[in-house]
Amino acid sequence: MSYEHGESHAEKVLSNGDVYVGDFNGLLPHGMGRYTWLNGTIYDGQWEKNKITGRGKILWPSGAAYEGEISGGFLHGSGSLFGFDGSVYKGSWMMNRQHGKGIKTYSNLDEYDGFWREGLQEGFGTHKWSNGNTYSGNWKSGKMSGKGVMKWSNGDLFDGDWLDGLENGSGYYKYADGSLYVGIWSRGLKDGHGTFFPTGSRTPCQLTYSKSIVCGNKVQSLGPASFFSNEGPVSKMLSKRSTVNRWSMNGCLRSTKRISHRPSSLDGIWNVNDACVSSSSENTSRTLCSTDESQLELLDDRILVYDREYMQGVLITERMRYCDFGRPQRAKWHCKMSKQPKRPGETIYGGHRSYYLMLNLQLGIRYTVGKITPVPMREVRSSDFGRRARIQMYFPSRGSQFTPPHNSVGFFWKDYCPMVFRNLREMFKIDAADYMMSVCGGDGLKELSSPGKSGSIFYLSQDERFLIKTLRKYELKILLKMLPNYYGHVGAYENTLITKFFGLHRLTIKRRKVRFVVMGNMFRTELRIHRRYDLKGSSHGRSTSKHNINENTTLKDLDLSYVFNLEKSWRESLFRQISLDCKFLESQSIIDYSMLLGLHFRAPEHLKAYSKSQNLLKHSANSADDNADIQLRDEVKTPPKGLRLVAHEPSSVSSLPGSHIRGSTLRASAADNKEVDLLLPGTGRLRVQLGVNMPAEANWKPLHNKGLHSAEFNPVEVYDVVLYFGIIDILQEYNMTKKFEHCCKSLKCDPLSISAVAPKMYSKRFVEFLEKVFPD
């Protein structure tokens, strides 16, 4: 640049050794100028009243250089950064960080083209690795998160959901040899139900867009057209997408992380410890479909597929079936969503049948929490439980002095015992702002179908910390009646397993009254819950249909075919607390409560060896080498341990804060009787508490003559599991209706087998059954 112009041009040497040569406005640099720092850094460009502002070029001693827009001394606007390591970034900047649209070429020749946020990839973007791998899709905080497509250099392709750089959620995986798997992933591993199309199998239809509908973790429809051909570039598939997010630059995808996708040679059902097979060609409830009849192309009458179930990347069961599309009405195959099971956790949106109900509930809770939070914290009084301990308000649609306008009809709101529930939330360290954001945030609630006979509707907050359940009038009265003693019991026993209540409300809309209770969700966990059980200790009617069982199905007493071995001290703590909780419920004349038990089967690597051993065991059955056979069986019966306990470190625990967690950390003899965390490779470090993140050994042992042997995982001697449990449904009194039910059912079946029995007998039977489930 030439600085030989104007009378304001000068050279100035500062006292610290820096040098400025350029234009001045009075005593301040203004215009074009060159500034050289003592350490060798050089800026050559525009100035505005002593500030580096405008376009310019910066050269650092390391060899890095920047050329572009600068504001107030920061890289801000559009510009290019040439790194000393050979990397190049061209795009938008904000306050010295990449922010907005930009392209970066790394020193190893990787390239990212997409959106950035404060120096990290966030939004839609495409990353091309130097080894030929390509990902296009959503990013968040520098990692692949959301919808996206990954294509490996070997020809494999995954299209689906991502989380923290790993496949997580629903999607499909197309292998280079043409085979296809559609199903569920968890942290990079197949985990749940899915459908496999072997190489060369033909498909019933083609779709012009990428979409798979997963109901209850079972695939209901398949797509897109690129599933079924070796053509169709990633860019075409991505052109149909609307939103996306980011990725990890630390080589998190150096390998494809594939699991063997070749089908078993067995015809029919294959289990890891069952040699039996059975052909299955019956019609299934799954429907392959297209949204446009003109796009439907029938290729064959019979389509071979494999229904599979994985557990932590290990194939557990496989069923071969043929889909028959040779019926007369070929051209009328459609997705009939009304006949498919409703997907758990259906998000409530505008136009949903529960939208206005959700809106009113959120408005009421926001009003109540906002009104009670400024009140100074104090101990509850007897008056806080009385009939006057209620907040009532009318919410007209046009708004009022105290309420905002809204799009629903006017409604009356009643909040019961606000100070009591405010103290309960404080007891569990639930911040008022977090509580409102969780329940009343802009993302709305998710509606769950009722797993029981009560007909109640459940709503789940978007962050899954809280469950909201509709109540009948008598249930609300029971809760209000027992609330003083409930508050005392929960306050006295921090390890209580009883349901945690955080709010009790009533809406009145056009004379229709709807009652709600807000509870903590005990299944809010980083780990996938593979099996759920509702255990009462009774046997009459306590089984589940064998059909359509998946990990969202809540099974019952007769379905349980496992016993769980806990550390001795943990078992003692468990039954000490169960006894205290049952005595409390017995004192309130409560029956029909149950233990809700969730199982996470943890990375059963020994199942791979077990499945391979089955063939060896069959071949050795007629062999004279008995010693080899015994040695092999002993090897199978003593699988390696997959769970590890370490000394508790609060700063290292990565478990999500749960609204049901309050108790102290458990101690274990394996860690010198210290408080312990559960260390899970690839997942993190989880705090072990009573009913939360509890590791155990699950032994296959039917507790009844009946059971779901075909639906359950078949017996391997020992499974490593992580347990989650609590006592739920505590709002049923042993009243005259229940006494009459007991008398009627006793005439037909064993009086001890039915659920409706006196509270003392109920609690005794409940504890005795759980003692069998958790044997000494």
Side-chain angles (χ1 to χ4, degrees):
M1 295 181 182
S2 174
Y3 300 105
E4 304 296 331
H5 64 281
E7 297 180 353
S8 61
H9 179 76
E11 177 179 341
K12 183 175 182 179
V13 179
L14 282 70
S15 59
N16 60 2
D18 296 350
V19 178
Y20 173 78
V21 179
D23 298 334
F24 283 85
N25 183 3
L27 298 176
L28 300 177
H30 185 83
M32 299 297 296
R34 180 187 182 95
Y35 193 100
T36 304
W37 282 266
L38 187 62
N39 64 1
T41 304
I42 299 174
Y43 169 73
D44 196 346
Q46 295 178 326
W47 293 74
E48 183 178 333
K49 295 182 179 180
N50 202 35
K51 293 183 179 180
I52 300 175
T53 300
R55 293 195 64 85
K57 184 175 182 179
I58 302 176
L59 300 174
W60 286 275
S62 63
Y66 172 81
E67 186 171 2
E69 295 178 344
I70 301 174
S71 178
F74 293 97
L75 310 185
H76 194 90
S78 61
S80 301
L81 178 67
F82 304 88
F84 68 90
D85 58 354
S87 61
V88 178
Y89 172 80
K90 297 181 179 181
S92 299
W93 295 80
M94 186 180 73
M95 304 293 286
N96 286 347
R97 294 183 179 183
Q98 297 105 317
H99 191 90
K101 184 72 168 60
I103 301 175
K104 182 171 182 178
T105 303
Y106 298 88
S107 58
N108 61 357
L109 301 183
D110 290 357
E111 181 180 294
Y112 173 80
D113 182 357
F115 288 91
W116 301 72
R117 182 181 176 86
E118 297 183 357
L120 296 174
Q121 297 95 325
E122 183 153 348
F124 181 82
T126 299
H127 190 99
K128 297 179 180 179
W129 283 265
S130 58
N131 61 6
N133 297 342
T134 302
Y135 171 82
S136 294
N138 281 344
W139 300 76
K140 188 174 182 180
S141 300
K143 296 181 179 180
M144 297 178 287
S145 291
K147 297 289 184 181
V149 178
M150 181 75 185
K151 187 172 184 179
W152 285 272
S153 58
N154 64 358
D156 288 0
L157 181 145
F158 176 80
D159 183 352
D161 297 323
W162 297 78
L163 180 66
D164 293 336
L166 296 172
E167 301 95 325
N168 194 87
S170 61
Y172 77 87
Y173 199 115
K174 182 180 179 183
Y175 298 91
D177 61 6
S179 57
L180 177 73
Y181 178 78
V182 186
I184 308 294
W185 275 258
S186 178
R187 295 183 176 273
L189 299 174
K190 296 173 185 173
D191 199 3
H193 292 271
T195 302
F196 175 77
F197 290 78
T199 304
S201 63
R202 311 185 79 182
T203 54
C205 62
Q206 294 182 339
L207 303 180
T208 59
Y209 65 99
S210 173
K211 185 176 183 181
S212 59
I213 303 170
V214 181
C215 299
N217 292 323
K218 291 188 177 182
V219 177
Q220 303 295 326
S221 65
L222 307 175
S226 59
F227 282 9
F228 315 120
S229 68
N230 293 324
E231 301 174 355
V234 176
S235 59
K236 291 184 179 179
M237 290 185 290
L238 290 172
S239 65
K240 303 294 182 181
R241 300 184 178 275
S242 58
T243 57
V244 262
N245 284 333
R246 352 167 187 148
W247 153 109
S248 171
M249 302 198 319
N250 298 326
C252 65
L253 291 167
R254 294 174 183 171
S255 64
T256 63
K257 298 180 181 169
R258 287 190 295 163
I259 303 167
S260 176
H261 58 279
R262 291 174 175 79
S264 169
S265 60
L266 300 178
D267 296 326
I269 302 175
W270 173 77
N271 294 299
V272 292
N273 45 19
D274 191 354
C276 69
V277 295
S278 62
S279 178
S280 175
S281 60
E282 68 272 18
N283 294 324
T284 69
S285 61
R286 296 177 178 81
T287 304
L288 301 173
C289 57
S290 171
T291 57
D292 189 346
E293 287 189 23
S294 64
Q295 297 167 355
L296 183 62
E297 179 182 355
L298 292 169
L299 302 178
D300 200 347
D301 290 347
R302 291 172 61 81
I303 300 166
L304 173 66
V305 298
Y306 293 83
D307 290 333
R308 291 181 171 181
E309 181 176 10
Y310 285 87
M311 187 170 69
Q312 294 277 304
V314 179
L315 181 62
I316 302 301
T317 61
E318 181 178 85
R319 177 190 295 271
M320 184 185 74
R321 64 182 171 91
Y322 288 92
C323 294
D324 188 1
F325 288 85
R327 297 182 178 182
Q329 297 179 345
R330 293 186 177 185
K332 296 184 179 181
W333 284 97
H334 290 280
C335 284
K336 298 182 179 180
M337 295 301 295
S338 60
K339 294 185 179 181
Q340 294 174 346
K342 186 173 70 172
R343 180 176 179 177
E346 179 186 359
T347 300
I348 301 175
Y349 49 86
H352 190 279
R353 62 183 178 278
S354 299
Y355 176 72
Y356 291 114
L357 190 64
M358 178 197 73
L359 178 62
N360 296 346
L361 175 66
Q362 291 178 323
L363 285 171
I365 291 178
R366 189 181 295 115
Y367 172 82
T368 300
V369 176
K371 186 172 182 178
I372 197 69
T373 299
V375 178
M377 189 68 182
R378 62 171 175 80
E379 292 294 326
V380 296
R381 305 163 185 163
S382 57
S383 59
D384 293 324
F385 297 96
R387 297 183 59 85
R388 295 185 179 181
R390 299 172 184 180
I391 296 177
Q392 300 185 71
M393 179 61 64
Y394 177 63
F395 285 76
S397 57
R398 65 182 180 277
S400 67
Q401 181 182 357
F402 304 102
T403 63
H406 55 89
N407 297 324
S408 179
V409 298
F411 65 94
F412 288 92
W413 171 261
K414 181 180 287 188
D415 186 84
Y416 297 91
C417 306
M419 183 57 72
V420 176
F421 288 106
R422 181 256 181 96
N423 280 26
L424 284 170
R425 294 193 295 269
E426 292 282 349
M427 194 182 295
F428 285 87
K429 297 181 173 57
I430 298 173
D431 181 73
D434 292 341
Y435 181 71
M436 283 194 290
M437 284 300 297
S438 178
V439 179
C440 309
D443 292 334
L445 304 175
K446 292 185 285 187
E447 182 176 297
L448 306 174
S449 59
S450 173
K453 299 179 181 179
S454 65
S456 298
I457 300 175
F458 290 82
Y459 301 99
L460 185 65
S461 62
Q462 281 292 336
D463 61 4
E464 300 185 357
R465 292 183 66 187
F466 303 99
L467 276 171
I468 302 173
K469 177 185 177 183
T470 59
L471 298 179
R472 297 182 179 180
K473 184 177 181 179
Y474 77 87
E475 291 177 314
L476 183 140
K477 289 184 176 180
I478 292 172
L479 180 52
L480 290 175
K481 178 182 175 182
M482 68 184 294
L483 188 58
N485 293 326
Y486 170 86
Y487 182 84
H489 181 81
V490 172
Y493 302 103
E494 65 173 9
N495 289 317
T496 181
L497 299 174
I498 291 179
T499 304
K500 313 306 186 299
F501 297 121
F502 299 122
L504 186 60
H505 319 287
R506 191 186 77 182
L507 282 170
T508 304
I509 306 175
K510 294 182 178 180
R511 298 183 179 180
R512 179 195 172 199
K513 297 178 180 179
V514 186
R515 304 159 187 88
F516 300 91
V517 62
V518 183
M519 307 176 291
N521 177 21
M522 69 178 64
F523 286 164
R524 199 236 184 180
T525 168
E526 290 182 333
L527 303 182
R528 191 184 192 91
I529 304 297
H530 294 107
R531 285 292 183 268
R532 304 162 189 259
Y533 294 91
D534 183 88
L535 307 175
K536 290 187 176 183
S538 58
S539 57
H540 180 69
R542 297 296 294 167
S543 63
T544 308
S545 171
K546 297 181 181 181
H547 302 291
N548 299 323
I549 295 293
N550 60 66
E551 59 193 59
N552 289 308
T553 304
T554 302
L555 305 174
K556 300 179 182 178
D557 300 63
L558 295 179
D559 308 324
L560 183 64
S561 55
Y562 299 98
V563 296
F564 305 98
N565 294 323
L566 297 171
E567 180 167 311
K568 185 177 180 179
S569 60
W570 295 359
R571 185 183 184 276
E572 291 174 354
S573 299
L574 172 62
F575 281 98
R576 187 184 309 118
Q577 189 59 55
I578 289 176
S579 177
L580 291 168
D581 290 339
C582 287
K583 286 181 179 178
F584 163 72
L585 296 173
E586 182 183 330
S587 69
Q588 304 299 306
S589 297
I590 300 297
I591 63 168
D592 265 353
Y593 51 88
S594 57
M595 174 73 78
L596 184 61
L597 174 65
L599 308 181
H600 170 80
F601 290 84
R602 183 61 193 171
E605 294 297 328
H606 61 278
L607 290 182
K608 296 178 181 178
Y610 192 97
S611 61
K612 293 178 182 178
S613 301
Q614 293 303 303
N615 291 331
L616 296 177
L617 286 172
K618 289 193 296 181
H619 289 309
S620 63
N622 298 325
S623 174
D625 191 358
D626 295 335
N627 292 333
D629 187 20
I630 294 173
Q631 181 180 359
L632 180 57
R633 291 180 183 275
D634 289 341
E635 181 179 341
V636 172
K637 289 184 179 181
T638 56
K641 302 297 181 184
L643 302 174
R644 181 184 172 194
L645 297 174
V646 295
H648 176 57
E649 295 182 11
S651 60
S652 301
V653 171
S654 62
S655 58
L656 296 168
S659 53
H660 60 288
I661 298 174
R662 176 171 167 249
S664 58
T665 305
L666 292 179
R667 300 175 182 271
S669 58
D672 298 327
N673 203 33
K674 296 179 181 178
E675 293 183 341
V676 292
D677 296 332
L678 178 60
L679 186 62
L680 300 176
T683 300
R685 191 172 181 143
L686 309 176
R687 182 184 176 192
V688 181
Q689 296 171 280
L690 196 65
V692 181
N693 300 322
M694 288 186 67
E697 289 183 349
N699 290 269
W700 187 81
K701 181 181 179 182
L703 299 178
H704 301 275
N705 294 329
K706 300 179 180 180
L708 291 179
H709 302 296
S710 61
E712 280 291 332
F713 297 126
N714 286 293
V716 172
E717 288 295 323
V718 177
Y719 284 106
D720 290 318
V721 296
V722 183
L723 305 180
Y724 300 86
F725 50 81
I727 298 175
I728 63 169
D729 295 338
I730 62 170
L731 299 179
Q732 177 60 62
E733 273 188 329
Y734 189 60
N735 51 25
M736 290 303 299
T737 302
K738 286 295 178 180
K739 291 177 182 178
F740 181 73
E741 179 184 341
H742 173 79
C743 293
C744 293
K745 289 186 176 180
S746 297
L747 299 176
K748 299 180 180 180
C749 53
D750 183 1
L752 298 180
S753 69
I754 61 179
S755 179
V757 295
K760 187 173 183 179
M761 174 59 69
Y762 192 97
S763 64
K764 180 182 178 182
R765 184 182 63 188
F766 181 73
V767 173
E768 289 177 349
F769 177 72
L770 292 180
E771 285 177 342
K772 297 178 182 178
V773 176
F774 300 96
D776 193 356

